[in-house]
Amino acid sequence: MADRNIKKQADKTLREAYEKYYASIYKFCLSKMKNDSWSVEDCVQEAFLVFYNRLLRGEEFEFVQAFLFKTASNLIKKRYAQLKKQEKDISLEEVKKIPSQSADIDDRLSFEEYSKMISDALSDTDREIFTLRYIEELSITEISNELGLTISNVSTRLSRMREKIRKIIKM
């Protein structure tokens, strides 16, 4: 019975918040995510969905509009971080351009040259992180624990490494 009452109250609160704040949340998202109406709509809907899910868990909000703005802002930051990460990832096509170990002798020399250039470009710690991440396939958290570095530090180092490697590949 209590769950039914919570859902009923959550539905009512969501409806009221949607009617009252939708336009302002939409304008806020639009101002931050220029010219991407699909992403704007997704952001607004997801902000209200987060709000609704928290209502269903029984949370109460004194400042609904502030919560929705903060949630939308966090979703926008998350979206841009994802886009930025996608830009930094090395594509499979770029990796395929590096000759494999099984290629003929002339190509293998190129592979060894690439390997040396990459190795020379990285510090000892970065080489170790690279090996743990891409050879041993450990997660960032596992690398962090193994090397005694923060997750943020490992993530930043990996991002910078990928950029260095991308520049080497394009040479």
Side-chain angles (χ1 to χ4, degrees):
M1 189 68 145
D3 287 343
R4 185 181 280 166
N5 288 337
I6 290 174
K7 183 172 180 350
K8 194 174 189 177
Q9 183 60 39
D11 289 348
K12 180 180 182 243
T13 304
L14 176 66
R15 235 184 340 273
E16 290 170 355
Y18 191 84
E19 289 170 6
K20 193 172 184 179
Y21 303 120
Y22 176 85
S24 60
I25 301 299
Y26 185 89
K27 288 175 188 174
F28 171 75
C29 291
L30 185 62
S31 73
K32 302 291 183 186
M33 304 174 82
K34 299 169 180 52
N35 300 326
D36 190 358
S37 61
W38 288 104
S39 292
V40 170
E41 189 65 35
D42 286 347
C43 178
V44 174
Q45 289 179 6
E46 193 169 346
F48 278 98
L49 184 61
V50 168
F51 175 64
Y52 183 65
N53 286 331
R54 303 257 311 251
L55 289 171
L56 289 175
R57 289 190 302 231
E59 290 186 45
E60 294 181 14
F61 296 89
E62 187 176 348
F63 303 104
V64 173
Q65 186 177 25
F67 176 81
L68 289 168
F69 272 112
K70 184 64 175 173
T71 301
S73 178
N74 289 339
L75 291 168
I76 292 167
K77 288 176 189 172
K78 182 179 174 183
R79 172 77 174 139
Y80 281 120
Q82 289 170 340
L83 291 173
K84 191 173 181 180
K85 181 184 181 306
Q86 288 173 353
E87 290 173 4
K88 289 185 176 186
D89 285 346
I90 299 174
S91 72
L92 186 57
E93 294 305 314
E94 289 176 306
V95 172
K96 285 180 180 178
K97 290 178 184 176
I98 302 175
S100 71
Q101 289 277 4
S102 62
D104 69 26
I105 188 73
D106 294 329
D107 288 340
R108 273 205 317 261
L109 289 174
S110 294
F111 177 81
E112 289 166 5
E113 289 170 2
Y114 273 120
S115 296
K116 180 160 178 23
M117 289 169 67
I118 290 169
S119 182
D120 290 346
L122 302 177
S123 69
D124 291 340
T125 304
D126 286 347
R127 264 193 303 279
E128 190 171 1
I129 291 171
F130 183 85
T131 301
L132 292 172
R133 181 72 172 148
Y134 298 107
I135 308 292
E136 296 182 25
E137 299 179 352
L138 296 182
S139 70
I140 292 174
T141 304
E142 291 169 326
I143 295 169
S144 169
N145 292 336
E146 182 149 332
L147 298 179
L149 300 170
T150 65
I151 292 172
S152 175
N153 186 285
V154 171
S155 182
T156 300
R157 285 174 175 262
L158 282 167
S159 178
R160 290 178 182 160
M161 266 187 272
R162 285 190 295 267
E163 191 59 36
K164 282 182 187 178
I165 292 168
R166 186 177 289 112
K167 287 177 183 174
I168 291 169
I169 290 172
K170 290 181 180 179
M171 290 175 78

